[in-house]
């Protein structure tokens, strides 16, 4: 028996890690395309005379449509093949990213309107991406590996600025902000072909072997990335009401909104904070912005590893997920300390510590994979992502009004830190036991 087990371990393929690498790469592209506007924001606002409030609305445009499209996007993933829906999303969000650069050739008001519209369209196209990631991870990974796998694809949001913030800053400085959109749009169109070649369901992948399929299935993997034939097409509004009436999920939704406030501060206003409040050049701000992002990436991967280790040691999913989240949010509150230091090194250090903590605590998608009803995994993920990304609407606008009223980022940093506290409180006092939701039909 021991010899057979050893042979199985040696013979087991590792295709699921290739799938995870593809999810990571596409999610890096996803967040890079969202964040270009933050690097381009300073020269763009100067060229067109855009004040902080108007800039906040432009930053938020993506999230208005992204939030609105979450439930339809989740339904599409449950109704049709995830691979195909996701590929169409990559194609269109890359096209609309390219067109944002083209909008810059129009004058004044027309350029602003077109930027707003194209960012709305990017939001629609990206809507199925994270629920799609969660479905693919649930299909390819057993429960004991799912926290790490979810943390890795989610950590791409931090890795994107590490690579692309310096690159787009250099492009903006050397060639103008329009070219940042052109180059990223073309890159995304090339990724579509790679996606179609790489992504398959576990049962359909040409390189997976029986030992790996057994490992996934015995560990609770669903082995399917398609909603067809699983009952998902029969999803009802009563299912949505059950999800919204579940106290555990409501606590998770509130916490995810607050955690994403931290994310959207870094994706939108952070480079402008470095330029306007800390007197850095655009190029320097791009490189400096990559440092907290790198710490966020390390924290994001580490949070998943810690969570899965705790799960294996204790058998308690609740403890394994909550402990890194609560600890991470405590660290994120250090962002408020930036208001009390002048040394740029200390500012960047506190920002890096805050984003490291945010990375450790960003286990929301692992919780979604753990709790979503199997019949409507896409819809459940879409609902979670809808609530979480309302922060992309509110955060840029609220910070814009704070800047307009005070002329300082001090209040903005307090706002971000308080949201970390609320996220921690939601997991401690509202969520309760983390377990899979069973639908009543």
């Amino acid at each position: 028996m021991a010899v057979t087990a050893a042979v199985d371990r040696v013979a087991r393929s590792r295709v699921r890690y290739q799938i995870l690498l593809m999810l990571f790469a596409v999610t890096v592209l996803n967040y890079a395309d969202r964040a270009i506007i933050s690097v381009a924001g300073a020269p763009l606002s100067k060229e067109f005379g855009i004040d902080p409030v108007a800039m906040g609305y432009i930053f938020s445009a993506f999230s208005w449509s992204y939030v609105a499209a979450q439930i339809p996007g989740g339904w599409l993933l449950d109704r049709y093949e995830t691979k195909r829906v996701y590929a169409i999303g990559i194609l269109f969000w890359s096209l609309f990213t390219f067109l944002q650069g083209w909008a810059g050739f129009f004058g004044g008001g027309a350029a602003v309107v077109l930027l707003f519209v194209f960012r709305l369209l990017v939001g629609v196209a990206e809507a199925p991406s994270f629920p799609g990631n969660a479905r693919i991870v649930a299909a390819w990974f057993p429960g004991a590996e799912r926290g790490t796998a979810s943390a890795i694809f989610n950590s791409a949001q931090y890795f994107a600025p590490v690579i692309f913030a310096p690159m787009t800053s250099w492009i903006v400085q050397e060639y103008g902000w329009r070219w940042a959109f052109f180059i990223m749009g073309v890159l995304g169109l090339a990724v579509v072909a790679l996606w179609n070649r790489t992504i398959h369901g576990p049962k359909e992948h040409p390189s997976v072997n029986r030992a790996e399929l057994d490992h996934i299935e015995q560990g609770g993997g669903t082995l399917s990335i398609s909603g067809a034939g699983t009952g998902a097409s029969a999803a009802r509004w009563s299912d949505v009401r059950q999800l919204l009436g579940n106290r555990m999920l409501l606590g998770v939704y509130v916490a995810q909104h607050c955690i994403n406030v931290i994310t959207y501060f870094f994706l939108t206003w952070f480079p402008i904070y470095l330029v306007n409040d800390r007197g850095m050049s655009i190029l320097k701000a791009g490189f400096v912005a990559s440092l907290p992002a790198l710490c966020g990436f390390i924290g994001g991967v580490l949070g998943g590893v810690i969570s899965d280790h705790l799960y294996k040691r204790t058998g308690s999913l609740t403890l394994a997920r909550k402990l890194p989240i609560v600890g991470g949010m405590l660290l994120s509150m250090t962002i408020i300390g930036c208001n009390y230091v002048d040394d740029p090194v200390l500012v960047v250090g506190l920002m890096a510590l805050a984003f490291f903590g945010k990375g450790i605590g960003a286990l929301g998608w692992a919780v979604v994979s753990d709790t979503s009803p199997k019949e409507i995994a896409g819809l459940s993920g879409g609902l979670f992502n809808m609530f979480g990304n309302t922060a992309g609407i509110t955060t840029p606008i609220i910070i814009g009004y704070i800047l307009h009223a005070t002329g300082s980022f001090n209040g903005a940093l307090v706002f971000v830190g308080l949201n970390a506290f609320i996220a921690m409180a939601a997991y401690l006092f509202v969520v309760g036991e983390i377990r899979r939701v069973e639908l009543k039909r």
Side-chain angles (χ1 to χ4, degrees):
M1 181 73 74
V3 173
T4 302
V7 171
D8 285 343
R9 282 197 296 272
V10 171
R12 186 189 302 155
S13 58
R14 296 288 185 269
V15 176
R16 63 192 184 280
Y17 299 119
Q18 298 173 20
I19 300 296
L20 183 59
L21 180 61
M22 188 73 240
L23 292 182
F24 178 81
V26 170
T27 307
V28 168
L29 176 71
N30 179 308
Y31 268 88
D33 286 348
R34 296 187 200 189
I36 298 173
I37 192 73
S38 67
V39 176
L44 191 156
S45 60
K46 184 177 180 180
E47 180 176 337
F48 296 114
I50 305 172
D51 66 24
V53 172
M55 201 69 213
Y57 278 98
I58 292 173
F59 282 153
S60 74
F62 165 89
S63 294
W64 287 97
S65 56
Y66 186 70
V67 166
Q70 284 304 307
I71 290 180
W75 179 86
L76 286 172
L77 292 167
D78 286 333
R79 182 66 181 86
Y80 301 103
E81 187 186 19
T82 300
K83 173 182 176 178
R84 185 180 307 168
V85 173
Y86 208 136
I88 293 170
I90 300 170
L91 174 68
F92 279 101
W93 94 52
S94 300
L95 175 62
F96 296 134
T97 296
F98 181 93
L99 289 175
Q100 286 176 79
W102 172 77
F105 292 113
F106 287 77
V112 172
V113 170
L114 286 171
L115 279 168
F116 188 88
V117 169
F118 288 137
R119 282 188 63 75
L120 283 173
L121 294 172
V122 170
V124 172
E126 287 195 9
S129 56
F130 267 72
N133 287 350
R135 176 181 281 282
I136 293 169
V137 164
W140 273 99
F141 286 85
E145 298 176 6
R146 205 171 290 148
T148 300
S150 298
I152 287 174
F153 82 67
N154 194 47
S155 68
Q157 65 183 279
Y158 318 110
F159 198 70
V162 173
I163 297 176
F164 290 106
M167 186 188 85
T168 53
S169 296
W170 178 79
I171 292 169
V172 168
Q173 180 162 296
E174 295 297 320
Y175 301 102
W177 61 268
R178 296 164 181 80
W179 279 96
F181 290 103
F182 292 151
I183 291 171
M184 291 303 300
V186 170
L187 179 61
L189 294 174
V191 166
V192 177
L194 184 60
W195 171 271
N196 285 328
R197 183 175 178 176
T198 304
I199 296 296
H200 303 277
K203 294 178 181 178
E204 295 79 36
H205 201 289
S207 300
V208 71
N209 65 14
R210 185 71 252 172
E212 184 173 14
L213 287 175
D214 289 344
H215 173 69
I216 295 167
E217 187 172 23
Q218 291 165 12
T222 64
L223 295 181
S224 174
I225 65 170
S226 174
T230 66
S233 58
R236 312 163 187 168
W237 280 109
S238 61
D239 298 334
V240 176
R241 288 196 297 271
Q242 288 185 62
L243 297 178
L244 292 176
N246 186 289
R247 174 176 170 167
M248 173 190 68
L249 292 180
L250 285 176
V252 171
Y253 297 157
V254 170
Q256 188 65 13
H257 169 90
C258 295
I259 291 170
N260 276 352
V261 167
I262 308 168
T263 301
Y264 278 101
F265 168 72
F266 278 93
L267 286 178
T268 56
W269 285 108
F270 182 48
I272 295 177
Y273 165 72
L274 295 176
V275 172
N276 291 353
D277 261 35
R278 297 295 171 174
M280 298 182 187
S281 68
I282 292 171
L283 185 59
K284 184 177 181 180
F287 279 94
V288 169
S290 71
L291 297 177
L294 179 60
C295 291
F297 170 72
I298 295 169
V301 175
L302 185 60
V305 172
I306 291 171
S307 181
D308 281 349
H309 176 73
L310 287 171
Y311 185 37
K312 291 173 184 176
R313 288 289 301 271
T314 67
S316 171
L317 192 62
T318 301
L319 176 66
R321 301 301 188 234
K322 283 189 177 183
L323 191 59
I325 292 171
V326 171
M329 292 303 100
L330 279 172
L331 284 177
S332 292
M333 292 176 66
T334 59
I335 195 170
I336 298 173
C338 293
N339 289 339
Y340 303 100
V341 296
D342 294 320
D343 188 338
V345 175
L346 288 177
V347 170
V348 174
L350 287 170
M351 288 288 183
L353 182 61
F355 219 35
F356 175 76
K358 192 269 177 184
I360 288 179
L363 288 170
W365 281 106
V367 174
V368 168
S369 294
D370 297 328
T371 59
S372 293
K374 293 182 179 180
E375 306 94 324
I376 53 168
L379 181 62
S380 178
L383 193 63
F384 164 84
N385 212 28
M386 181 186 76
F387 277 94
N389 281 280
T390 54
I393 298 171
T394 58
T395 304
I397 294 173
I398 290 172
I399 292 177
Y401 277 109
I402 291 172
L403 292 177
H404 182 73
T406 67
S408 168
F409 273 89
N410 288 357
L413 299 187
V414 172
F415 167 73
V416 175
L418 285 176
N419 273 273
F421 175 80
I422 295 170
M424 178 181 65
Y427 269 97
L428 284 175
F429 302 115
V430 180
V431 171
E433 181 187 359
I434 294 175
R435 63 190 184 280
R436 190 168 301 281
V437 174
E438 300 291 336
L439 291 180
K440 297 177 181 178
R441 289 187 164 183

